[in-house]
Amino acid sequence: MTEAPLPAVGAVDFDAFVRRRASAGALVVQPRMGFMDPEAMRAGLAATRAADATTVGTLTLDSYTRLRDEAALATALAEGRPLNGYPLTTHPPEVTARMLAGLRGPDFPVQVRHGSAVPRHIFESMIGLGLSASEGGPISYCLPYGRTPLAQSVRNWADSTRLFATLRERGAQPHLESFGGCLLGQLCPPSLLVAVSVLEALFFHQHGVRSVSVSYAQQTNATQDREAVAALRRLCAELLPEPSWHVVIYAYMGLYPVTPRGAYRMLASAAELAVRSGAERLIVKTVAESMRIPTVEENVAALEFAAAAADTVRGWTGGEVAEVDADNEVYREAAALVDAVRDLHPDLGTALAEAFTKGYLDIPYCLHPDNQGRTRSYIDEEGRLRWADSGDLPFGRGGDGGGLAGRARTVTSAALHADLHHVRYAYDADEGPADDILAAVALPALPALPPGP
Amino acid sequence: MTAPARRDAHEPTPSGPGAPGGGAPATPGGTVVLGTVPSDSHTWNLVLLQLLLEECGFEVVNLGPCVPEELLVEECLRHRPELVVISSINGHGYADGLRLAPRVRARPELAELSMIIGGKLGVGGEAADRERGSRALLEAGFDAVFFDAAAADLRRYLLSGERPGEAAAAPALEEEYARGELAGASSAS
Ligand code: B12
């Protein structure tokens, strides 16, 4: 870092903002949004801020920035070739500062989301710009995002987290969200998602970031999802050293419904999960998800719809968090995973790398070279995600891992295709989940299907 | 279904593996190198295509996410595959593909290799871009380009020797949805 005096950052505390709004009865909603062009990005943030919902802003970075491919960035910018996100480290800092001016502030925090296992350059840019909220983690921004060796990602993330923590010296509260609740987006049994989220939050603490959020991506069965969020909350309450944390739900991160109605149903279910499980924040998806990067308008429609759906559900529940067995199967499995990993080494980074070597953590279908690839998942008759093969996951050591008996199933392309499309088909059907919410909340004007080939 | 753009749209029938002009292999078998472009980290597409290719009788070398150009070239030289399949869905497949194909073709040993690309190749989706994009990728060195195609299109390409130039009727995703796609198709293999 440079000696030059850095601008004061102000007191934007992402977690405090979210929890304040949540305790006032609002679900904070947030888009996944990133455009190459600063003007477009500014318009997107302005529209997010102005939306009829309690929002926070997002800067999603493009794939070249994530991988630090400077040649590709230079070519794309010179030739005006579109990128799939905002190139934060390539646009001059003044350009980004101007893009953000007057938008971000104590009432509208902006979070940077990027998916990089080599994130130092991104954190340096954020620090220079006083952007104090981001996302990631040594596992969750490595295994789903490329081929950087895990041990290297752990070192990089330890280093960047410590660097980010220095923002406190400038009066800001650096905040990190674990992406552990998503991993590959689909077909991962919830216990592993919960465990990785908790472990990464602990990792952030170990390296000096004390304001954290833990994530959980909606999966295939609403009851199992509620159990998972209950498990996540219980583990955080038990293990995190400070109370400055909240839960963020991601609307489904796998193959998304293709019909507009199906897409809104999916989002309504995600909002319902957030409200019924007591989560504070929700990241939405739009009608365009299955096909292309959404427009600003589609994002605003999704934010407003999700906020209205959440209000409707809250009207039904009176804000009561649904009762679920706190000692449920997801909790038992997740606790077994967390304990087994923490027992490996006092330095959590070392423990995490070793856990993957031993197969104590093993993500189904993940092709990353450091993932053992001995686990497989499937969707059972009730739509719950289960282990078809739990490989070397340490389930003997805590929970009984209910229903884990290694059911050997040969996976064909048709079977995998069916499991990948399970959610899409259920939500695109004539009648589907969350129809009760759709009856109560007006659907945004449904767009004509986007232009086909 | 989405008909692929072909390098030589006038070739009457697809010819054997590795044939100049790049028809689909008429008889399945042999090795396929499967991978993606350097910037793309999506892998479910690779997992699914691997299973599908194996069911079509190929042995698959799956290179996984974010394949550096050098690695692709090395693996092609090592395995001398019947076919190289590049699958990308992050929206950078087009731009990365333009850089990647010439790198492969620059090796004289790989100049005649059959190499195709498909997936969600561009950011945004206007039909004009798709056509222009396909043409540019063919010129860059791919033998066939499947813009916004479904996995079933690859299967059809490999097994049926379909003729090029059939009009794309509907967005692949919708059609895939309507037909239940692979679930029905795979019993034929
Ligand atoms: C799961 C997912 C992820 C996971 C991926 C984890 C992993 N390791 O795989 C995570 C969350 C990590 C992720 C990250 C990102 N994602 Co993503 N992701 C998805 C999602 C939801 C599903 C993709 C999937 O699993 N597909 C499963 C395969 C089996 O199906 P398919 O995609 O339809 O592929 C079929 C066809 O394309 C065809 N096909 C594919 N290749 C080929 C090749 C040939 C030759 C043929 C014939 C056919 C063919 O066959 C496939 C199988 O049927 C999609 C949206 C959706 N579809 O619902 C977005 C999506 C693909 N992601 C997108 C983006 C942009 C990203 C990010 C860049 C983040 C961002 N800016 O938003 C990063 C990627 C970073 C990087 N370096 O690349 C965009 C791409 C937009 C575009 N193309 O214009 C999508 C469409 C979402 C959106 N609407 O914005 N993503």
Side-chain angles (χ1 to χ4, degrees):
Chain A
M1 292 212 4
T2 56
E3 297 295 309
L6 290 161
V9 168
V12 191
D13 182 336
F14 193 79
D15 173 65
F17 173 88
V18 169
R19 279 186 298 120
R20 215 164 35 238
R21 297 300 150 108
S23 57
L27 176 66
V28 176
V29 291
Q30 179 177 5
R32 296 187 179 277
M33 186 190 276
F35 303 109
M36 170 184 198
D37 170 46
E39 291 294 315
M41 196 67 243
R42 183 175 173 82
L45 287 171
T48 302
R49 188 186 164 129
D52 184 14
T54 304
T55 56
V56 290
T58 304
L59 279 182
T60 298
L61 309 192
D62 69 282
S63 300
Y64 294 141
T65 300
R66 293 157 186 248
L67 296 154
R68 213 172 178 170
D69 187 342
E70 274 148 20
L73 281 164
T75 316
L77 262 77
E79 296 177 9
R81 213 171 265 166
L83 295 176
N84 57 11
Y86 185 78
L88 178 72
T89 57
T90 308
H91 286 316
E94 315 81 73
V95 169
T96 300
R98 228 177 303 124
M99 187 274 287
L100 292 166
L103 290 177
R104 60 134 167 205
D107 285 333
F108 185 64
V110 173
Q111 187 192 33
V112 174
R113 310 181 67 90
H114 56 87
S116 179
V118 197
R120 173 116 191 167
H121 64 306
I122 296 169
F123 277 97
E124 283 170 351
S125 287
M126 284 192 281
I127 289 171
L129 288 155
L131 285 163
S132 59
S134 192
E135 189 216 14
I139 298 169
S140 65
Y141 266 17
C142 178
L143 282 93
Y145 280 107
R147 53 204 313 136
T148 306
L150 179 60
Q152 206 175 307
S153 173
V154 167
R155 278 196 302 277
N156 295 344
W157 269 92
D159 166 64
S160 286
T161 306
R162 283 196 296 268
L163 179 68
F164 202 44
T166 63
L167 269 174
R168 259 199 311 278
E169 292 155 23
R170 290 166 59 200
Q173 183 63 267
H175 178 91
L176 284 175
E177 165 187 333
S178 164
F179 190 63
C182 177
L183 297 179
L184 302 196
Q186 51 206 343
L187 298 187
C188 181
S191 55
L192 184 58
L193 302 174
V194 168
V196 175
S197 235
V198 172
L199 287 165
E200 287 190 334
L202 288 167
F203 177 92
F204 297 149
H205 269 280
Q206 225 173 41
H207 296 287
V209 166
R210 303 174 194 152
S211 167
V212 298
S213 40
V214 286
S215 59
Y216 180 73
Q218 178 185 23
Q219 301 294 326
T220 52
N221 175 289
T223 309
Q224 190 184 33
D225 283 346
R226 288 212 289 274
E227 290 173 6
V229 181
L232 182 59
R233 296 201 84 95
R234 179 171 165 195
L235 282 166
C236 285
E238 289 168 352
L239 298 173
L240 293 184
E242 289 186 47
S244 45
W245 58 271
H246 69 269
V247 171
V248 53
I249 301 293
Y250 303 156
Y252 192 57
M253 292 295 283
L255 276 179
Y256 214 71
V258 296
T259 66
R261 194 178 164 81
Y264 281 118
R265 268 197 190 119
M266 191 88 239
L267 184 54
S269 292
E272 177 167 22
L273 169 64
V275 172
R276 289 193 189 272
S277 67
E280 289 87 351
R281 181 161 56 99
L282 169 69
I283 303 194
V284 305
K285 287 225 166 168
T286 75
V287 285
E289 172 61 19
S290 66
M291 311 171 225
R292 55 168 169 77
I293 291 174
T295 62
V296 172
E297 293 70 28
E298 287 160 342
N299 265 308
V300 170
L303 291 167
E304 294 183 341
F305 175 81
D311 284 347
T312 298
V313 176
R314 200 181 299 274
W316 296 340
T317 64
E320 284 296 307
V321 170
E323 185 110 358
V324 288
D325 179 8
D327 195 36
N328 62 62
E329 178 184 307
V330 182
Y331 175 81
R332 289 197 307 273
E333 285 187 8
L337 294 170
V338 170
D339 288 349
V341 174
R342 295 179 82 207
D343 284 350
L344 287 172
H345 202 279
D347 173 64
L348 202 48
T350 310
L352 289 173
E354 206 174 317
F356 275 93
T357 310
K358 287 185 145 60
Y360 285 9
L361 298 175
D362 190 346
I363 306 170
Y365 295 105
C366 175
L367 298 180
H368 190 285
D370 291 326
N371 192 63
Q372 295 300 328
R374 287 196 283 266
T375 60
R376 285 288 177 267
S377 56
Y378 75 103
I379 300 173
D380 77 6
E381 306 70 33
E382 291 166 44
R384 294 173 77 102
L385 269 168
R386 292 189 167 275
W387 299 103
D389 188 336
S390 59
D392 295 321
L393 299 181
F395 287 146
R397 308 179 65 180
D400 64 4
L404 288 176
R407 295 181 34 169
R409 291 165 101 242
T410 356
V411 181
T412 60
S413 69
L416 180 63
H417 190 272
D419 276 0
L420 284 169
H421 287 72
H422 176 92
V423 166
R424 172 178 288 179
Y425 291 168
Y427 280 78
D428 278 340
D430 289 340
E431 286 173 22
D435 275 343
D436 52 346
I437 304 177
L438 262 61
V441 182
L443 279 191
L446 295 181
L449 273 181
Chain B
M1 98 198 56
T2 301
R6 289 275 170 80
R7 196 183 196 179
D8 178 3
H10 302 294
E11 191 178 322
T13 41
S15 38
T27 8
T31 303
V32 171
V33 166
L34 172 65
T36 184
V37 297
S39 83
D40 198 341
S41 68
H42 292 89
T43 47
W44 291 102
N45 43 324
L46 302 178
V47 172
L48 190 66
L49 292 176
Q50 171 170 1
L51 290 172
L52 187 124
L53 286 160
E54 286 170 354
E55 289 160 16
C56 288
F58 292 98
E59 207 159 295
V60 177
V61 179
N62 189 340
L63 302 181
C66 297
V67 181
E69 289 165 2
E70 320 72 84
L71 179 68
L72 180 69
V73 170
E74 272 167 35
E75 294 292 317
C76 288
L77 289 171
R78 170 129 62 107
H79 297 284
R80 293 313 190 88
E82 298 300 318
L83 177 69
V84 177
V85 177
I86 303 295
S87 163
S88 172
I89 62 174
N90 77 346
H92 286 186
Y94 170 68
D96 282 359
L98 289 180
R99 296 194 292 169
L100 178 154
R103 276 291 290 273
V104 175
R105 295 298 184 209
R107 295 299 295 246
E109 307 94 307
L110 305 179
E112 300 293 294
L113 177 70
S114 280
M115 182 167 67
I116 68 177
I117 187 168
K120 288 180 174 47
L121 296 177
V123 181
E126 300 87 62
D129 276 354
R130 208 167 284 163
E131 257 169 54
R132 219 178 324 122
S134 296
R135 231 177 306 124
L137 285 165
L138 292 172
E139 274 160 29
F142 287 101
D143 295 305
V145 179
F146 298 75
F147 243 87
D148 291 340
D153 294 318
L154 177 59
R155 200 173 172 285
R156 211 173 297 117
Y157 174 79
L158 294 171
L159 295 181
S160 75
E162 76 180 20
R163 312 234 349 207
E166 289 164 34
L173 281 171
E174 268 182 276
E175 229 219 355
E176 177 189 343
Y177 170 65
R179 282 184 290 130
E181 207 217 354
L182 287 172
S186 66
S187 55
S189 65

